[in-house]
Amino acid sequence: MPCGFTGVDVAADVTIALRIPSRGAIEYSRYGWRVDSSARRGGLLTDKYELTMLAAALRDGTAGRRTSFELFARRLPEGRRYGVVAGTDRFLEALTAFGFDDAALHLLSAFLDPETLSYLADFRFRGDVDGYPEGELYFAGSPVLSVHGSFAECIVLETLLLSIFNHDTAIASAAARMVSAADDRPLIEMGSRRTHEHAAVAAARAAYLAGFAGTSNLEAHRRFGVPVLGTSAHAFTLLHSGAEGELAAFRSQVAAQGVDTTLLVDTYDVSTGVTNAVQAAGPRLGAVRIDSGELAVLAHQVRDQLDRLGATATKIVVSGDLDEYAIAALRAAPVDSYGVGTALVTGSGAPAAGFVYKLVEVEGRPVQKRSADKTSAGGRKQALRVSRPSGTLVEEVVHPAGRPPQDSGRVLTVPLVRGGDVVADTGATALAAARDRVASGLRSLPWEGLKLAHGEPAIPTRLILR
Protein backbone atom coordinates (compact mmCIF):
# COMPACT_ATOMS: atom_id res chain seq x y z
CA MET A 1 0.00 0.00 0.00
CA PRO A 2 1.58 3.32 -1.06
CA CYS A 3 2.07 5.94 1.59
CA GLY A 4 4.04 9.17 1.96
CA PHE A 5 5.81 11.12 4.64
CA THR A 6 4.04 14.37 5.47
CA GLY A 7 6.48 15.46 8.13
CA VAL A 8 9.27 14.27 10.41
CA ASP A 9 10.18 16.00 13.63
CA VAL A 10 13.61 14.80 14.76
CA ALA A 11 13.70 16.04 18.31
CA ALA A 12 13.88 14.44 21.73
CA ASP A 13 10.75 12.53 20.83
CA VAL A 14 10.61 11.48 17.19
CA THR A 15 7.22 11.92 15.56
CA ILE A 16 6.56 10.44 12.12
CA ALA A 17 3.43 11.50 10.26
CA LEU A 18 2.13 9.38 7.38
CA ARG A 19 -0.83 9.64 5.06
CA ILE A 20 -2.26 6.31 3.98
CA PRO A 21 -5.09 6.11 1.42
CA SER A 22 -8.49 5.32 2.99
CA ARG A 23 -7.05 5.69 6.48
CA GLY A 24 -6.20 9.39 6.49
CA ALA A 25 -3.37 10.87 8.51
CA ILE A 26 -1.74 8.82 11.26
CA GLU A 27 1.18 9.61 13.50
CA TYR A 28 3.69 7.57 15.41
CA SER A 29 5.43 8.81 18.53
CA ARG A 30 6.62 7.20 21.75
CA TYR A 31 2.92 6.96 22.66
CA GLY A 32 2.25 4.67 19.66
CA TRP A 33 0.28 5.03 16.44
CA ARG A 34 -2.81 7.21 16.46
CA VAL A 35 -5.20 8.52 13.81
CA ASP A 36 -5.00 12.28 13.39
CA SER A 37 -8.31 13.83 14.50
CA SER A 38 -8.34 16.01 11.38
CA ALA A 39 -8.66 12.86 9.29
CA ARG A 40 -11.84 11.77 11.03
CA ARG A 41 -14.32 13.01 8.49
CA GLY A 42 -17.21 13.77 10.82
CA GLY A 43 -19.19 10.57 10.35
CA LEU A 44 -19.15 9.80 14.05
CA LEU A 45 -20.57 13.21 14.93
CA THR A 46 -23.97 11.60 15.01
CA ASP A 47 -26.31 9.56 17.19
CA LYS A 48 -26.36 5.77 17.04
CA TYR A 49 -30.04 5.61 16.11
CA GLU A 50 -29.39 7.46 12.83
CA LEU A 51 -27.26 4.52 11.71
CA THR A 52 -29.54 1.80 13.09
CA MET A 53 -32.41 3.42 11.15
CA LEU A 54 -30.18 3.42 8.09
CA ALA A 55 -29.43 -0.29 8.56
CA ALA A 56 -33.11 -1.14 8.85
CA ALA A 57 -33.97 0.94 5.76
CA LEU A 58 -31.24 -0.74 3.73
CA ARG A 59 -32.55 -4.13 4.83
CA ASP A 60 -36.22 -3.46 3.93
CA GLY A 61 -35.52 -1.54 0.72
CA THR A 62 -36.74 1.91 1.76
CA ALA A 63 -33.30 3.55 2.04
CA GLY A 64 -33.37 4.75 -1.56
CA ARG A 65 -36.75 6.48 -1.41
CA ARG A 66 -36.55 10.14 -2.42
CA THR A 67 -37.23 12.34 0.58
CA SER A 68 -37.20 15.92 1.79
CA PHE A 69 -36.29 16.93 5.33
CA GLU A 70 -36.78 20.38 6.82
CA LEU A 71 -34.95 22.26 9.55
CA PHE A 72 -37.27 24.63 11.40
CA ALA A 73 -38.24 25.86 14.85
CA ARG A 74 -41.75 25.19 16.12
CA ARG A 75 -41.43 28.30 18.25
CA LEU A 76 -38.82 30.90 19.09
CA PRO A 77 -37.06 30.64 22.46
CA GLU A 78 -39.15 32.02 25.30
CA GLY A 79 -39.68 35.76 24.94
CA ARG A 80 -37.61 36.15 21.76
CA ARG A 81 -39.06 38.16 18.89
CA TYR A 82 -36.76 36.96 16.09
CA GLY A 83 -33.78 34.72 15.44
CA VAL A 84 -30.68 34.96 13.26
CA VAL A 85 -29.72 32.02 11.02
CA ALA A 86 -26.10 31.01 11.61
CA GLY A 87 -24.04 27.91 10.92
CA THR A 88 -24.79 27.56 7.21
CA ASP A 89 -21.20 27.94 6.05
CA ARG A 90 -19.88 25.64 8.78
CA PHE A 91 -22.46 23.03 7.80
CA LEU A 92 -21.56 23.25 4.10
CA GLU A 93 -17.90 22.78 4.98
CA ALA A 94 -18.73 19.79 7.17
CA LEU A 95 -21.01 18.33 4.51
CA THR A 96 -18.31 18.23 1.84
CA ALA A 97 -15.97 16.34 4.18
CA PHE A 98 -18.59 14.10 5.78
CA GLY A 99 -17.81 10.39 5.62
CA PHE A 100 -16.47 7.38 7.48
CA ASP A 101 -12.81 6.33 7.55
CA ASP A 102 -11.52 2.87 8.40
CA ALA A 103 -11.22 3.65 12.10
CA ALA A 104 -14.86 4.79 12.23
CA LEU A 105 -16.04 1.76 10.28
CA HIS A 106 -14.15 -0.56 12.63
CA LEU A 107 -15.95 1.00 15.60
CA LEU A 108 -19.34 0.76 13.86
CA SER A 109 -18.82 -2.89 12.97
CA ALA A 110 -19.69 -3.71 16.58
CA PHE A 111 -23.37 -3.16 15.81
CA LEU A 112 -23.82 -2.63 12.04
CA ASP A 113 -24.12 -5.32 9.38
CA PRO A 114 -21.71 -5.59 6.41
CA GLU A 115 -24.19 -4.04 3.93
CA THR A 116 -24.55 -0.91 6.05
CA LEU A 117 -20.80 -0.67 6.61
CA SER A 118 -20.25 -0.95 2.86
CA TYR A 119 -22.75 1.87 2.25
CA LEU A 120 -21.04 4.11 4.80
CA ALA A 121 -17.57 3.35 3.44
CA ASP A 122 -18.58 4.91 0.10
CA PHE A 123 -20.82 7.62 1.55
CA ARG A 124 -20.96 10.99 -0.13
CA PHE A 125 -23.98 13.26 -0.05
CA ARG A 126 -25.27 13.66 -3.61
CA GLY A 127 -28.55 15.43 -2.94
CA ASP A 128 -29.71 19.04 -2.92
CA VAL A 129 -29.98 21.58 -0.13
CA ASP A 130 -32.02 24.81 -0.15
CA GLY A 131 -32.33 27.30 2.67
CA TYR A 132 -32.22 30.78 4.07
CA PRO A 133 -28.90 32.54 3.48
CA GLU A 134 -26.74 32.79 6.59
CA GLY A 135 -27.50 35.95 8.54
CA GLU A 136 -31.15 36.01 7.50
CA LEU A 137 -33.73 36.52 10.23
CA TYR A 138 -36.10 33.64 10.92
CA PHE A 139 -39.30 33.06 12.88
CA ALA A 140 -41.39 30.12 14.10
CA GLY A 141 -42.13 27.81 11.20
CA SER A 142 -39.52 29.30 8.84
CA PRO A 143 -38.16 26.54 6.55
CA VAL A 144 -34.58 27.49 7.37
CA LEU A 145 -33.07 24.50 5.56
CA SER A 146 -34.48 21.84 3.22
CA VAL A 147 -32.46 18.71 2.44
CA HIS A 148 -33.45 16.57 -0.56
CA GLY A 149 -32.08 13.13 -1.42
CA SER A 150 -32.47 9.48 -0.58
CA PHE A 151 -33.66 8.65 2.93
CA ALA A 152 -30.26 7.07 3.59
CA GLU A 153 -28.17 10.12 2.77
CA CYS A 154 -30.53 12.61 4.44
CA ILE A 155 -30.98 10.76 7.72
CA VAL A 156 -27.28 10.39 8.55
CA LEU A 157 -26.87 14.19 8.44
CA GLU A 158 -29.51 14.92 11.09
CA THR A 159 -27.39 15.15 14.23
CA LEU A 160 -24.50 17.00 12.57
CA LEU A 161 -26.85 19.52 11.01
CA LEU A 162 -28.83 20.11 14.19
CA SER A 163 -25.76 20.47 16.39
CA ILE A 164 -24.25 23.14 14.14
CA PHE A 165 -27.39 25.18 13.53
CA ASN A 166 -28.80 24.94 17.06
CA HIS A 167 -25.53 26.18 18.55
CA ASP A 168 -24.48 28.86 16.06
CA THR A 169 -27.98 30.26 15.65
CA ALA A 170 -28.46 30.53 19.43
CA ILE A 171 -25.23 32.52 19.73
CA ALA A 172 -25.94 34.75 16.73
CA SER A 173 -29.48 35.46 17.92
CA ALA A 174 -28.24 36.48 21.38
CA ALA A 175 -25.44 38.53 19.82
CA ALA A 176 -27.87 40.40 17.58
CA ARG A 177 -29.92 41.46 20.62
CA MET A 178 -26.72 42.73 22.25
CA VAL A 179 -25.73 44.62 19.11
CA SER A 180 -29.14 46.26 19.04
CA ALA A 181 -28.90 47.15 22.74
CA ALA A 182 -25.39 48.61 22.28
CA ASP A 183 -26.76 51.18 19.84
CA ASP A 184 -23.77 51.30 17.45
CA ARG A 185 -21.12 50.96 20.17
CA PRO A 186 -18.65 48.14 19.40
CA LEU A 187 -18.83 44.81 21.22
CA ILE A 188 -15.98 42.33 21.74
CA GLU A 189 -16.59 38.60 22.14
CA MET A 190 -14.48 37.29 25.03
CA GLY A 191 -16.23 34.14 26.21
CA SER A 192 -13.77 31.41 25.21
CA ARG A 193 -13.06 30.38 28.79
CA ARG A 194 -16.76 29.98 29.51
CA THR A 195 -17.53 27.23 27.00
CA HIS A 196 -16.06 24.17 25.28
CA GLU A 197 -12.82 24.96 23.46
CA HIS A 198 -14.24 24.09 20.03
CA ALA A 199 -17.61 25.71 20.70
CA ALA A 200 -15.70 28.88 21.57
CA VAL A 201 -14.39 29.14 18.01
CA ALA A 202 -17.84 28.69 16.48
CA ALA A 203 -19.32 31.15 19.00
CA ALA A 204 -16.77 33.80 18.05
CA ARG A 205 -17.70 33.44 14.38
CA ALA A 206 -21.43 33.56 15.14
CA ALA A 207 -21.03 36.69 17.27
CA TYR A 208 -19.00 38.42 14.56
CA LEU A 209 -21.61 37.42 11.98
CA ALA A 210 -24.28 39.11 14.12
CA GLY A 211 -22.36 42.38 14.37
CA PHE A 212 -19.69 42.07 17.05
CA ALA A 213 -16.48 43.94 16.24
CA GLY A 214 -14.09 41.09 17.05
CA THR A 215 -13.05 38.31 19.39
CA SER A 216 -10.31 37.42 21.83
CA ASN A 217 -10.08 33.91 20.31
CA LEU A 218 -7.03 33.39 18.13
CA GLU A 219 -8.31 30.22 16.48
CA ALA A 220 -11.43 32.07 15.27
CA HIS A 221 -9.09 34.67 13.80
CA ARG A 222 -7.03 32.01 12.04
CA ARG A 223 -9.91 29.90 10.79
CA PHE A 224 -12.53 32.51 9.94
CA GLY A 225 -10.67 35.82 9.77
CA VAL A 226 -12.56 37.31 12.72
CA PRO A 227 -10.64 40.40 13.95
CA VAL A 228 -8.75 39.51 17.13
CA LEU A 229 -8.49 41.87 20.09
CA GLY A 230 -7.01 41.78 23.58
CA THR A 231 -4.32 43.33 25.75
CA SER A 232 -3.96 42.27 29.38
CA ALA A 233 -5.67 40.71 32.41
CA HIS A 234 -5.49 41.32 36.15
CA ALA A 235 -2.76 38.70 36.48
CA PHE A 236 -0.28 40.94 34.68
CA THR A 237 -0.91 43.76 37.13
CA LEU A 238 -0.64 41.41 40.11
CA LEU A 239 2.63 40.07 38.73
CA HIS A 240 4.25 43.45 39.34
CA SER A 241 4.55 43.78 43.12
CA GLY A 242 6.24 46.55 45.06
CA ALA A 243 5.55 50.21 45.70
CA GLU A 244 4.85 50.96 42.04
CA GLY A 245 3.29 47.62 41.17
CA GLU A 246 0.31 48.80 39.13
CA LEU A 247 2.20 51.72 37.61
CA ALA A 248 5.09 49.41 36.71
CA ALA A 249 2.68 46.96 35.06
CA PHE A 250 1.11 49.75 33.03
CA ARG A 251 4.48 51.10 31.95
CA SER A 252 5.54 47.63 30.86
CA GLN A 253 2.37 47.12 28.85
CA VAL A 254 2.67 50.52 27.17
CA ALA A 255 6.31 49.83 26.32
CA ALA A 256 5.30 46.55 24.67
CA GLN A 257 2.02 47.56 23.01
CA GLY A 258 2.17 51.33 22.57
CA VAL A 259 0.11 54.15 24.03
CA ASP A 260 -3.01 53.12 22.11
CA THR A 261 -3.35 50.00 24.27
CA THR A 262 -6.18 49.39 26.76
CA LEU A 263 -5.19 49.39 30.44
CA LEU A 264 -7.25 47.45 33.00
CA VAL A 265 -7.76 49.87 35.89
CA ASP A 266 -9.86 47.97 38.46
CA THR A 267 -7.34 45.52 39.94
CA TYR A 268 -7.15 47.66 43.08
CA ASP A 269 -8.74 51.10 43.30
CA VAL A 270 -10.28 52.41 40.07
CA SER A 271 -9.46 56.07 40.65
CA THR A 272 -5.82 55.27 41.42
CA GLY A 273 -5.76 52.93 38.45
CA VAL A 274 -6.88 55.70 36.10
CA THR A 275 -4.23 58.07 37.49
CA ASN A 276 -1.54 55.41 37.00
CA ALA A 277 -2.80 54.63 33.49
CA VAL A 278 -2.51 58.23 32.31
CA GLN A 279 0.83 58.62 34.08
CA ALA A 280 2.15 55.53 32.28
CA ALA A 281 0.81 56.28 28.80
CA GLY A 282 0.16 60.00 28.78
CA PRO A 283 -2.99 61.77 27.59
CA ARG A 284 -3.00 59.82 24.30
CA LEU A 285 -3.82 56.55 26.06
CA GLY A 286 -6.09 54.44 23.88
CA ALA A 287 -8.55 53.13 26.46
CA VAL A 288 -9.12 51.98 30.01
CA ARG A 289 -11.20 48.94 30.92
CA ILE A 290 -13.45 48.48 33.94
CA ASP A 291 -14.31 44.86 34.71
CA SER A 292 -16.22 45.07 38.02
CA GLY A 293 -18.34 47.23 40.27
CA GLU A 294 -21.23 49.55 39.49
CA LEU A 295 -20.29 50.04 35.86
CA ALA A 296 -22.60 52.98 35.12
CA VAL A 297 -21.43 54.94 38.16
CA LEU A 298 -17.79 54.10 37.57
CA ALA A 299 -17.98 55.00 33.88
CA HIS A 300 -19.18 58.52 34.73
CA GLN A 301 -16.48 58.92 37.38
CA VAL A 302 -13.74 57.62 35.11
CA ARG A 303 -14.84 59.82 32.20
CA ASP A 304 -14.71 62.87 34.44
CA GLN A 305 -11.29 61.90 35.79
CA LEU A 306 -9.84 61.20 32.35
CA ASP A 307 -11.04 64.56 31.06
CA ARG A 308 -9.51 66.36 34.04
CA LEU A 309 -6.21 64.58 33.39
CA GLY A 310 -6.26 65.74 29.77
CA ALA A 311 -7.01 62.28 28.33
CA THR A 312 -10.16 63.48 26.59
CA ALA A 313 -9.84 61.03 23.71
CA THR A 314 -9.21 57.98 25.89
CA LYS A 315 -12.07 55.52 25.55
CA ILE A 316 -13.81 53.49 28.23
CA VAL A 317 -14.37 49.75 27.80
CA VAL A 318 -16.56 47.85 30.25
CA SER A 319 -16.89 44.11 30.82
CA GLY A 320 -17.96 41.72 33.55
CA ASP A 321 -21.05 39.48 33.26
CA LEU A 322 -22.76 41.66 30.68
CA ASP A 323 -25.84 40.60 28.75
CA GLU A 324 -28.24 42.51 26.50
CA TYR A 325 -30.14 43.91 29.48
CA ALA A 326 -27.01 45.18 31.23
CA ILE A 327 -25.80 46.69 27.96
CA ALA A 328 -29.11 48.46 27.43
CA ALA A 329 -28.95 49.81 31.00
CA LEU A 330 -25.58 51.40 30.17
CA ARG A 331 -26.83 53.39 27.17
CA ALA A 332 -26.77 56.68 29.10
CA ALA A 333 -23.29 56.01 30.52
CA PRO A 334 -20.12 57.29 28.79
CA VAL A 335 -19.13 53.81 27.64
CA ASP A 336 -17.40 53.40 24.29
CA SER A 337 -17.39 49.61 23.92
CA TYR A 338 -18.33 46.39 25.68
CA GLY A 339 -16.64 43.06 26.32
CA VAL A 340 -19.13 40.18 26.58
CA GLY A 341 -18.39 36.61 27.63
CA THR A 342 -20.56 34.12 29.51
CA ALA A 343 -24.00 35.37 28.48
CA LEU A 344 -23.02 35.43 24.83
CA VAL A 345 -21.46 31.98 24.48
CA THR A 346 -24.35 30.37 26.37
CA GLY A 347 -27.04 32.03 24.25
CA SER A 348 -28.08 34.50 26.96
CA GLY A 349 -30.80 32.27 28.38
CA ALA A 350 -31.43 30.28 25.18
CA PRO A 351 -28.45 27.93 24.71
CA ALA A 352 -30.10 26.16 21.76
CA ALA A 353 -32.21 27.61 18.99
CA GLY A 354 -34.84 24.88 19.26
CA PHE A 355 -34.49 23.66 15.66
CA VAL A 356 -35.84 20.27 14.66
CA TYR A 357 -35.19 18.26 11.48
CA LYS A 358 -38.27 16.49 10.19
CA LEU A 359 -39.19 14.34 7.22
CA VAL A 360 -41.83 16.27 5.23
CA GLU A 361 -42.02 14.46 1.88
CA VAL A 362 -41.51 10.91 0.58
CA GLU A 363 -41.50 10.25 -3.19
CA GLY A 364 -43.31 13.55 -3.77
CA ARG A 365 -46.01 12.81 -1.18
CA PRO A 366 -46.30 15.13 1.85
CA VAL A 367 -45.92 13.46 5.25
CA GLN A 368 -46.25 15.05 8.66
CA LYS A 369 -45.93 14.34 12.34
CA ARG A 370 -49.14 14.71 14.38
CA SER A 371 -47.90 14.16 17.93
CA ALA A 372 -49.38 16.51 20.52
CA ASP A 373 -47.42 19.79 20.68
CA LYS A 374 -44.98 18.43 18.09
CA THR A 375 -46.90 18.67 14.84
CA SER A 376 -45.21 19.48 11.56
CA ALA A 377 -46.55 20.68 8.20
CA GLY A 378 -45.96 18.23 5.37
CA GLY A 379 -44.51 18.93 1.93
CA ARG A 380 -41.51 20.83 0.59
CA LYS A 381 -41.78 24.51 1.38
CA GLN A 382 -40.23 27.84 0.47
CA ALA A 383 -40.72 31.32 1.91
CA LEU A 384 -40.85 34.99 1.07
CA ARG A 385 -41.05 38.11 3.19
CA VAL A 386 -43.43 41.01 2.61
CA SER A 387 -42.46 44.60 3.44
CA ARG A 388 -43.97 48.05 3.35
CA PRO A 389 -42.64 50.55 0.77
CA SER A 390 -40.50 51.95 3.62
CA GLY A 391 -38.76 48.58 3.94
CA THR A 392 -40.34 47.69 7.28
CA LEU A 393 -41.30 44.02 7.45
CA VAL A 394 -44.98 43.08 7.50
CA GLU A 395 -45.09 39.28 7.44
CA GLU A 396 -43.37 36.09 6.37
CA VAL A 397 -45.20 33.78 3.97
CA VAL A 398 -44.37 30.05 3.90
CA HIS A 399 -45.75 28.26 0.85
CA PRO A 400 -45.47 24.96 -1.06
CA ALA A 401 -42.21 24.76 -3.02
CA GLY A 402 -42.56 26.00 -6.59
CA ARG A 403 -45.98 27.56 -5.96
CA PRO A 404 -45.46 31.10 -4.65
CA PRO A 405 -48.55 33.12 -3.73
CA GLN A 406 -49.60 36.29 -5.49
CA ASP A 407 -48.00 38.37 -2.74
CA SER A 408 -45.06 40.41 -3.89
CA GLY A 409 -42.18 39.77 -1.52
CA ARG A 410 -38.49 39.05 -1.20
CA VAL A 411 -37.66 35.38 -1.82
CA LEU A 412 -35.86 33.84 1.16
CA THR A 413 -35.14 30.29 -0.02
CA VAL A 414 -32.01 29.95 -2.16
CA PRO A 415 -30.01 27.00 -3.56
CA LEU A 416 -27.07 25.94 -1.37
CA VAL A 417 -26.12 22.49 -2.71
CA ARG A 418 -26.87 20.81 -6.03
CA GLY A 419 -26.00 17.19 -6.67
CA GLY A 420 -23.77 17.17 -3.61
CA ASP A 421 -21.77 20.19 -4.78
CA VAL A 422 -21.88 23.47 -2.86
CA VAL A 423 -23.22 26.26 -5.10
CA ALA A 424 -23.46 29.04 -2.50
CA ASP A 425 -20.67 31.44 -1.61
CA THR A 426 -18.55 30.26 1.30
CA GLY A 427 -15.66 31.44 3.44
CA ALA A 428 -14.80 35.11 3.97
CA THR A 429 -17.15 36.28 1.21
CA ALA A 430 -20.09 34.49 2.80
CA LEU A 431 -19.25 35.76 6.28
CA ALA A 432 -19.08 39.38 5.11
CA ALA A 433 -22.41 39.02 3.29
CA ALA A 434 -23.99 37.45 6.38
CA ARG A 435 -22.87 40.41 8.54
CA ASP A 436 -24.50 42.80 6.09
CA ARG A 437 -27.62 40.66 6.01
CA VAL A 438 -28.02 40.73 9.80
CA ALA A 439 -27.60 44.51 9.93
CA SER A 440 -30.13 44.98 7.14
CA GLY A 441 -32.57 42.57 8.79
CA LEU A 442 -32.45 44.36 12.12
CA ARG A 443 -33.07 47.70 10.39
CA SER A 444 -36.12 46.24 8.65
CA LEU A 445 -37.88 45.08 11.82
CA PRO A 446 -40.76 47.17 13.19
CA TRP A 447 -39.52 49.09 16.22
CA GLU A 448 -41.44 46.89 18.67
CA GLY A 449 -39.65 43.86 17.23
CA LEU A 450 -36.37 45.12 18.69
CA LYS A 451 -37.68 45.30 22.24
CA LEU A 452 -35.78 43.17 24.74
CA ALA A 453 -38.88 42.55 26.83
CA HIS A 454 -40.70 39.26 26.32
CA GLY A 455 -43.30 39.48 23.59
CA GLU A 456 -44.72 38.12 20.37
CA PRO A 457 -42.58 37.54 17.26
CA ALA A 458 -41.65 40.76 15.45
CA ILE A 459 -43.80 39.80 12.45
CA PRO A 460 -46.45 37.10 11.90
CA THR A 461 -45.84 34.00 9.77
CA ARG A 462 -48.56 32.94 7.32
CA LEU A 463 -48.50 29.28 6.28
CA ILE A 464 -50.07 28.33 2.95
CA LEU A 465 -50.51 24.56 2.65
CA ARG A 466 -52.09 24.32 -0.83
Side-chain angles (χ1 to χ4, degrees):
M1 181 181 295
C3 63
F5 288 99
T6 60
V8 178
D9 177 18
V10 183
D13 297 312
V14 176
T15 297
I16 301 174
L18 306 174
R19 185 166 295 280
I20 299 176
S22 85
R23 292 185 181 273
I26 61 175
E27 293 181 352
Y28 181 80
S29 70
R30 64 175 179 172
Y31 301 106
W33 290 100
R34 69 179 180 85
V35 178
D36 182 356
S37 61
S38 66
R40 296 192 179 109
R41 296 156 53 197
L44 297 182
L45 296 175
T46 190
D47 292 308
K48 180 178 179 180
Y49 80 152
E50 310 291 8
L51 302 187
T52 54
M53 279 192 289
L54 168 65
L58 288 168
R59 180 181 292 272
D60 71 13
T62 58
R65 290 183 178 177
R66 308 309 297 173
T67 61
S68 291
F69 283 75
E70 259 179 20
L71 177 83
F72 65 95
R74 292 189 176 94
R75 61 192 66 84
L76 293 173
E78 180 66 25
R80 298 291 177 87
R81 298 170 184 265
Y82 62 88
V84 174
V85 176
T88 309
D89 194 56
R90 290 210 310 118
F91 169 67
L92 294 177
E93 180 184 21
L95 179 64
T96 59
F98 190 85
F100 300 82
D101 62 14
D102 285 359
L105 294 170
H106 176 72
L107 182 148
L108 297 175
S109 66
F111 64 90
L112 292 179
D113 60 89
E115 181 186 4
T116 305
L117 292 172
S118 177
Y119 176 86
L120 294 176
D122 297 327
F123 181 86
R124 177 180 177 273
F125 180 75
R126 294 177 173 84
D128 298 339
V129 180
D130 302 303
Y132 287 24
E134 193 164 29
E136 190 66 75
L137 302 184
Y138 77 93
F139 303 91
S142 295
V144 170
L145 206 74
S146 299
V147 182
H148 317 292
S150 69
F151 175 80
E153 60 189 334
C154 293
I155 196 64
V156 298
L157 299 177
E158 178 176 10
T159 302
L160 175 68
L161 187 153
L162 284 172
S163 65
I164 291 174
F165 277 92
N166 268 316
H167 175 267
D168 289 20
T169 296
I171 306 304
S173 299
R177 285 162 57 87
M178 295 173 188
V179 169
S180 178
D183 198 21
D184 294 327
R185 299 174 186 178
L187 296 109
I188 306 165
E189 184 282 314
M190 46 199 304
S192 294
R193 62 191 65 187
R194 296 292 187 263
T195 188
H196 187 279
E197 65 269 26
H198 299 302
V201 182
R205 180 186 181 277
Y208 181 67
L209 180 153
F212 270 55
T215 179
S216 64
N217 190 287
L218 286 167
E219 180 62 14
H221 174 64
R222 182 194 71 83
R223 194 181 306 178
F224 302 118
V226 179
V228 66
L229 306 161
T231 54
S232 182
H234 293 105
F236 188 73
T237 301
L238 293 168
L239 174 66
H240 294 75
S241 57
E244 292 190 343
E246 184 177 60
L247 180 58
F250 289 169
R251 282 173 172 162
S252 175
Q253 183 177 329
V254 170
Q257 301 178 11
V259 297
D260 60 344
T261 190
T262 299
L263 296 175
L264 184 57
V265 296
D266 72 334
T267 303
Y268 305 115
D269 174 72
V270 172
S271 178
T272 303
V274 171
T275 298
N276 285 334
V278 176
Q279 184 176 344
R284 294 171 53 214
L285 171 63
V288 296
R289 178 160 73 97
I290 311 167
D291 189 53
S292 59
E294 293 290 336
L295 295 178
V297 174
L298 288 172
H300 282 286
Q301 293 174 350
V302 168
R303 180 74 271 158
D304 179 66
Q305 185 179 2
L306 287 170
D307 291 347
R308 285 188 284 106
L309 292 171
T312 56
T314 298
K315 295 182 178 180
I316 298 175
V317 183
V318 298
S319 56
D321 295 324
L322 297 178
D323 60 12
E324 60 267 48
Y325 302 103
I327 292 167
L330 289 167
R331 278 181 177 171
V335 172
D336 296 288
S337 60
Y338 307 87
V340 189
T342 304
L344 175 64
V345 299
T346 57
S348 196
F355 285 136
V356 294
Y357 180 74
K358 297 301 175 185
L359 179 62
V360 296
E361 192 170 283
V362 178
E363 298 290 1
R365 178 175 56 85
V367 297
Q368 65 185 69
K369 185 176 178 179
R370 297 179 181 175
S371 306
D373 299 323
K374 289 189 175 183
T375 58
S376 60
R380 293 175 60 165
K381 293 177 281 297
Q382 297 173 325
L384 55 85
R385 203 163 281 159
V386 180
S387 304
R388 296 191 179 97
S390 63
T392 302
L393 297 180
V394 175
E395 69 173 347
E396 182 163 307
V397 182
V398 178
H399 61 86
R403 289 186 282 155
Q406 296 299 316
D407 306 68
S408 176
R410 180 170 63 88
V411 174
L412 299 172
T413 310
V414 299
L416 299 174
V417 176
R418 286 293 178 266
D421 296 324
V422 175
V423 296
D425 286 337
T426 58
T429 301
L431 182 55
R435 276 175 63 85
D436 291 341
R437 202 170 285 119
V438 174
S440 176
L442 293 177
R443 288 193 300 269
S444 71
L445 287 176
W447 69 269
E448 61 271 16
L450 293 171
K451 288 182 177 180
L452 297 180
H454 286 206
E456 295 298 314
I459 58 171
T461 298
R462 176 158 54 99
L463 177 61
I464 301 173
L465 296 178
R466 294 181 177 82

